């Protein structure tokens, strides 16, 4: 039966099947890329829920990240930490930061030669 069809019809059928296959592969690839991208976005959102860097017990030192739960600090298990205590010293006014970093003290000693 295949031999009875003209060669032009066979080529057009082959092209059609090839194009359907290529479109299917491209569609599957784009869908997989989208799903992988969405799962990455969800993972990053979940990681941003970790409150350790805003906690009072967080040290910032890589050797001991948390004084209460050192093994679960900065991991997904710390998301619902029962010992979380908000650190109120995160935002310092600019003047306090400048004063803390200044090499000059605000209380200057009095010069004995000028005092009467």
């Amino acid at each position: 039966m295949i031999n009875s069809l003209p060669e032009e019809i066979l080529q057009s059928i082959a092209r059609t099947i090839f194009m359907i296959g290529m479109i299917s592969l491209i569609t599957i690839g784009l869908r997989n890329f989208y799903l992988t991208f969405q799962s990455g976005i969800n993972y990053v959102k979940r990681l941003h829920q970790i409150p350790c860097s805003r906690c009072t017990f967080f040290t910032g030192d890589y050797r001991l990240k948390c004084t209460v739960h050192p093994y679960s600090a900065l991991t997904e298990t710390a998301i619902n930490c029962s010992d979380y205590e908000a650190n109120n010293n995160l935002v310092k006014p600019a003047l306090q930061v400048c004063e803390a970093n200044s090499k000059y003290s605000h209380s200057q000693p009095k010069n004995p030669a000028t005092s009467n």
Side-chain angles (χ1 to χ4, degrees):
M1 174 161 173
I2 294 178
N3 291 337
S4 65
L5 294 175
E7 187 175 330
E8 296 171 357
I9 295 176
L10 288 176
Q11 287 180 353
S12 66
I13 292 173
R15 282 190 206 120
T16 305
I17 292 173
F18 178 76
M19 290 302 293
I20 290 172
M22 291 302 294
I23 290 172
S24 299
L25 286 176
I26 291 171
T27 304
I28 290 170
L30 289 175
R31 181 180 173 273
N32 286 339
F33 176 76
Y34 174 75
L35 293 176
T36 303
F37 186 73
Q38 283 298 317
S39 68
I41 293 292
N42 292 334
Y43 183 70
V44 169
K45 285 181 182 179
R46 190 169 59 245
L47 288 181
H48 279 280
Q49 293 175 354
I50 298 173
C52 292
S53 62
R54 299 179 303 273
C55 183
T56 302
F57 303 113
F58 184 69
T59 63
D61 187 7
Y62 72 94
R63 293 170 287 188
L64 179 66
K65 297 173 187 142
C66 177
T67 56
V68 179
H69 301 289
Y71 293 110
S72 64
L74 297 175
T75 62
E76 290 183 54
T77 58
I79 289 176
N80 294 320
C81 181
S82 60
D83 296 316
Y84 172 73
E85 189 173 317
N87 188 356
N88 295 331
N89 297 328
L90 285 179
V91 180
K92 292 184 177 180
L95 183 60
Q96 287 180 352
V97 173
C98 291
E99 287 176 357
N101 294 334
S102 176
K103 64 181 178 178
Y104 300 107
S105 65
H106 292 287
S107 60
Q108 297 177 353
K110 293 183 179 180
N111 188 352
T114 59
S115 63
N116 288 336

